[in-house]
Structure formats: C-alpha cells, structure tokens
C-alpha cells in the first residue's frame, strides 16, 4: 500500500510504500495499479508501537474480570459491595484482580467467605504473585482444608485444578491495535512451548494481530526471601551457554543488587534485560551502565500507584522509584512497557506518566526523573529483540506503522491514543479510525 502526505517525527514529509517491509520513502510516489492508498494528510507516521513487557493471556482474561483495587475500589465496604454485585462467569467462578492491602488489609478465606459464601471466588493481588480463594473455590480445587486460601500464582499444584477459561485474544488485539501497537513481548515466566505455540497460532490466524515475542524460558522472577546469588549466577551462566539471553524481574533494591552481582559473575549477553527496575539506588547506576543490559521499565505505575508510594515508602527513597532520566543520563539502554494487565494497557498513558510523573491525586513523584515527550515515545519504538535500539521509517524496516491524525508537535504535546488514525502490520491496515482519510 501507499501512504501519502506523511510527516515523519523529524518534521520531513514523504510518501511511504509499505508491504511486509517498508519498500520506498520519497516525494511524489505514484500509486501502482490496484494499490491501496491511505492519505495521512500531514499526520505523523511512526514505526508501530511495541509494548516490551506484557502478559497476554492474563491481559485477555482481565478484560472479563472484576477490578477490586485502587482507584475504583478503595475500602473494605467498596470491596464487599463490588463482590456482592458481581455474578459468576460462564465457568461458575468470580474472578477478581488488582487487589491491594490498602483496600481491606490482608485477605484470607474467612474474610472472603463473609462477603461471598457460596460462589467460588478468587482474587489476584495486583503484584500478580498471589491469589486468595474463598472456601467454595478451595473446595472446587481439592484444597478444602487449606488454612488461609492464599496461594502463590507460580505454583501449578493448585492452578491446574482451575476451570479452563477461554480468553478473548481478539478483543485484546482490537484494543491494542486501536492504540497503534503492532508488537508485544510476553514476559510471562512459566510459558511452556505449547503456550507459546498457541499464542503464535492465534497471531497467524489473525485472532491476535500484533506480532509476539517471548522472554520465556530466559525469564526469572526473584523474591527477597529466597535470594540466592550463587544459584542465580549458575542459571544465568547456563542460559548464556545455551545461547539465550536472560531477563530478570527486579522490583526491589535487594533484587537489583543481587542481579547486578550475578551478571558480573556470569558475564553478559548483548540481549540481557532487567525487567521493571522499580527501585534503583544511586550506587547501582554505574554498574547498570557497565553491564549494558537493557532496563525495561513501567512509568505508568507512578500515575497508577504513586499515591500509595507516597504513603508507604520513606521520603528519602522516593528518588529511587521508577527512574528514567537518571538511567538515560548514565547511558543505560532503556525501553518502556505497560506490564498489562498489572498496569493499564495504554502505552500513551505510560508515556504521559514518564513525562509528567503525576499521581492520581495530582502530586509529582520525583520531577528530576521526567523525560521529554519525544524520548518517551521513542522508548516504545525499540526493536523487539533490542528494545533500546529504535526503529525508523526507512526502506528495509518492518512494514509495521502507526499513523496519527496530527503532525509531530501536536502529537507530542498530547501523547494520546485518540490520535491514532490507523495501524498497519505487514503493509495491511488492521485498525482505522472513522476519521482516517483514504484515497
């Protein structure tokens, strides 16, 4: 297809011929017989956005789940009301997500039984690491005698007993392509080969349009109470010997420090990644620069959870949270992502959070970490395999594009998914807004 009157991020205008790859970029390109033409009308044309850390099956399931955490649910009374009004899904269960202790403290089976005594109920903690089940649910999976109903997500011994729940990948695909997303990296750590093939098959048959990359099997989640430097070093070394990079989940300072030490001991791979880096002490900046591993961060959590950070984390540590500017200044390779469904699935909201760092109440969390709108946008335009390296609108690049309705200055001022006029994957329009002009 041919895109006419496109404005690139540097302000130049061009026509773009695109198929599986970008074929031509120039002025006055003539449409071939039968070639589809899209008139960008001066709007910005970008490489398609890539969300560098997501959980696809969980995100699809979240579209049909009850949200029971802030900001929508903030008290025990609101939690009880939301659960009492919820009906079971087709599998007979109530599936709720996003819980945080600020709502009603530490949940257990007894507390849930008082709210929902009969219908099987499971609630996921917003960290994704924990589920809390009521007695009806525990009985369904053969754990009627469990003491508190608090079960680790990564433990297959109980999750295998859950009813099979069909996830609507097509609905998720439609949401993402409407925001200009042409690719995602699934960071779920325990994906099997069959899981990955199932998702790729969904992409091939058009159920899920964005391209998919996986971090498994080289992804590891760390836990502060089980940190083992020697074991982590061995795991990294084994992955590297097998030719695989690693991606290590680091949400605390202790996890980051141990990961840095393990990477130093094991040696690095050019595609190694550190996921989240939610807390970055000052004395680790030089270490991260030396390692060369790419940090994939989620500034959207500043907007979504920042008020709880202010309430729960000592003020002296606020400058360490979700750092971006200081990492970039230290020449650490970086990219951004949403971590959906644990974070909101809108990459444009994540960009705005990186630029403004404003919490839901209007407070600013560490303004020295703010970055420019153009930098924030670029951090969603990285290569799937090397997130810190940007893609461009040049011949030979993938034919995955995002067309905005406004020129660059206006688009960067707004950073809003409503500006997406069309999304193109492999030279095919997979989303077009009603206002998208075509010739």
């Amino acid at each position: 297809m041919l895109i006419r009157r496109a404005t690139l991020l540097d302000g130049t205008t061009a026509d773009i011929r695109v198929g599986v790859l970008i074929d031509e970029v120039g002025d006055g390109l003539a449409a071939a017989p039968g070639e589809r033409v899209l008139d960008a009308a001066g709007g910005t044309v970008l490489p398609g956005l890539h969300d560098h850390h997501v959980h696809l099956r969980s995100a699809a399931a979240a579209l049909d789940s009850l949200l029971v955490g802030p900001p929508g649910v903030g008290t025990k009374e609101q939690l009880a009301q939301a659960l009492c009004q919820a009906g079971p899904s087709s599998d007979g269960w109530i599936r709720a997500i996003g819980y945080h202790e600020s709502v009603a403290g530490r949940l257990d089976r007894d507390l849930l039984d008082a709210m929902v005594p009969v219908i099987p109920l499971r609630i996921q903690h917003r960290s994704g690491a924990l589920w809390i089940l009521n007695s009806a649910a525990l009985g369904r999976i053969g754990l009627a005698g469990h003491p508190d109903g608090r079960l680790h997500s990564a433990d297959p011994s109980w999750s295998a007993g859950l009813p099979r729940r069909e996830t609507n990948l097509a609905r998720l695909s439609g949401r993402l392509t409407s925001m200009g997303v042409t690719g995602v990296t699934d960071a779920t750590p325990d994906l099997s080969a069959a899981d990955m093939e199932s998702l790729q098959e969904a992409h091939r048959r058009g159920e899920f349009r964005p391209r998919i990359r996986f971090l498994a099997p080289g992804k590891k989640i760390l836990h502060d109470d089980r940190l083992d430097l020697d074991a982590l070093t061995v795991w990294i070394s084994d992955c590297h010997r097998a030719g695989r990079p690693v991606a290590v989940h680091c949400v605390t300072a202790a996890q980051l420090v141990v990961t840095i030490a393990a990477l130093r001991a094991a040696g690095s791979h050019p595609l190694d990644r550190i996921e989240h880096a939610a807390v970055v002490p000052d004395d680790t900046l030089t270490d991260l620069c030396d390692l060369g591993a790419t940090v994939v961060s989620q500034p959207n959590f500043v907007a979504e959870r920042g008020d709880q950070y202010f309430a729960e984390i000592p003020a002296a540590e606020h400058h360490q949270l979700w750092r971006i500017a200081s990492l970039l200044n230290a020449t650490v390779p970086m990219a951004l992502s949403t971590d959906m469904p644990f974070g909101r699935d809108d990459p444009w909201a994540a960009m705005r959070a990186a630029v403004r760092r404003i919490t839901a109440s209007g407070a600013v969390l560490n303004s020295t970490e703010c970055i420019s709108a153009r930098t924030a946008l670029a951090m969603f335009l990285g290569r799937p395999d090397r997130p810190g390296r940007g893609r461009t609108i040049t011949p030979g690049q993938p034919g995955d594009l995002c067309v905005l309705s406004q020129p660059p200055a206006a688009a960067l001022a707004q950073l809003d998914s409503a500006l997406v006029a069309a999304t193109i994957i492999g030279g095919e329009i997979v989303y077009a807004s009603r206002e998208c002009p075509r010739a």
Side-chain angles (χ1 to χ4, degrees):
M1 67 175 295
L2 181 65
I3 303 173
R4 284 188 170 141
R5 297 199 295 165
T7 305
L8 308 185
L9 262 182
D10 62 6
T12 60
T13 58
D15 299 333
I16 305 167
R17 175 165 282 114
V18 59
V20 174
L21 301 176
I22 297 174
D23 296 318
E24 291 183 89
V25 179
D27 294 328
L29 298 182
E35 185 173 35
R36 187 171 190 177
V37 176
L38 184 150
D39 183 7
T44 309
V45 177
L46 310 162
L49 275 57
H50 191 97
D51 196 335
H52 294 284
H53 182 118
V54 305
H55 304 273
L56 284 180
R57 292 289 187 190
S58 295
L63 297 178
D64 297 315
S65 300
L66 178 68
L67 182 61
V68 292
V73 175
T75 66
K76 184 176 180 180
E77 292 72 24
Q78 290 174 343
L79 173 64
Q81 182 180 21
L83 292 174
C84 289
Q85 292 176 348
S89 298
S90 58
D91 60 9
W93 288 56
I94 297 173
R95 184 184 194 273
I97 61 173
Y99 182 77
H100 183 261
E101 288 79 4
S102 61
V103 175
R106 184 182 186 275
L107 289 186
D108 59 25
R109 66 183 295 171
D110 294 332
L111 202 156
L112 295 185
D113 287 350
M115 299 180 187
V116 182
V118 177
I119 302 171
L121 164 68
R122 57 182 173 126
I123 296 180
Q124 187 182 45
H125 191 272
R126 77 175 186 186
S127 67
L130 180 73
W131 287 90
I132 309 98
L133 279 63
N134 69 354
S135 294
L138 290 167
R140 291 283 185 93
I141 63 171
L143 293 177
H146 195 277
D148 58 12
R150 293 170 64 87
L151 303 172
H152 290 290
S153 301
D155 182 359
S157 66
W158 72 270
S159 58
L162 292 171
R164 182 169 179 80
R165 186 183 179 99
E166 294 299 327
T167 51
N168 192 338
L169 287 170
R171 182 179 170 194
L172 179 64
S173 176
R175 282 185 58 81
L176 297 181
T177 55
S178 74
M179 293 184 282
V181 174
T182 60
V184 296
T185 296
D186 193 303
T188 307
D190 54 354
L191 283 179
S192 67
D195 292 329
M196 291 185 276
E197 174 56 29
S198 174
L199 288 167
Q200 289 287 22
E201 177 58 27
H203 171 69
R204 287 192 291 268
R205 66 174 178 259
E207 179 184 358
F208 187 80
R209 303 304 298 269
R211 302 182 193 278
I212 309 172
R213 184 176 175 82
F214 300 100
L215 293 186
K219 166 77 184 293
K220 182 174 284 292
I221 293 180
L222 303 182
H223 303 276
D224 279 4
D225 60 347
R226 301 195 295 275
L227 289 176
D228 185 330
L229 173 59
D230 291 338
L232 183 60
T233 302
V234 169
W235 176 76
I236 293 172
S237 298
D238 289 346
C239 287
H240 287 173
R241 274 195 296 271
R244 296 195 306 267
V246 299
V248 187
H249 169 111
C250 297
V251 295
T252 68
Q255 292 168 15
L256 182 63
V257 169
V258 169
T259 297
I260 288 171
L263 285 168
R264 281 195 179 281
S268 61
H269 185 288
L271 303 185
D272 284 342
R273 297 170 38 140
I274 292 175
E275 308 302 309
H276 310 303
V279 183
V280 180
D282 292 338
D283 57 4
T284 63
L285 290 169
T286 300
D287 294 323
L288 289 169
C289 173
D290 292 342
L291 287 173
T294 299
V295 171
V296 179
S297 186
Q298 297 83 33
N300 45 307
F301 288 130
V302 172
E304 297 167 20
R305 305 178 183 179
D307 291 324
Q308 275 147 354
Y309 298 152
F310 275 117
E312 299 170 3
I313 297 175
E317 298 174 15
H318 288 173
H319 76 286
Q320 300 178 6
L321 300 174
W322 298 110
R323 302 177 84 158
I324 301 180
S326 56
L327 286 163
L328 291 175
N329 290 338
T331 66
V332 176
M334 283 200 75
L336 300 184
S337 68
T338 64
D339 198 17
M340 68 170 185
F342 308 109
R344 185 180 168 194
D345 61 9
D346 182 354
W348 299 92
M351 293 178 218
R352 293 195 299 273
V355 172
R356 304 168 187 170
R357 299 184 70 88
I358 297 175
T359 71
S361 70
V364 176
L365 180 65
N366 193 6
S367 62
T368 61
E369 294 296 335
C370 293
I371 59 175
S372 71
R374 183 160 183 164
T375 299
L377 174 58
M379 294 171 80
F380 275 99
L381 305 181
R383 288 170 43 179
D385 60 337
R386 291 181 178 264
R389 293 190 181 181
R391 289 167 289 131
T392 57
I393 305 295
T394 52
Q397 289 281 309
D400 305 337
L401 304 175
C402 173
V403 181
L404 305 180
S405 61
Q406 297 292 323
L412 291 171
Q414 297 177 60
L415 292 178
D416 195 321
S417 61
L419 297 177
V420 177
T423 302
I424 297 165
I425 298 178
E428 178 186 352
I429 296 176
V430 298
Y431 166 79
S433 69
R434 292 180 180 179
E435 295 77 25
C436 180
R438 306 183 197 187

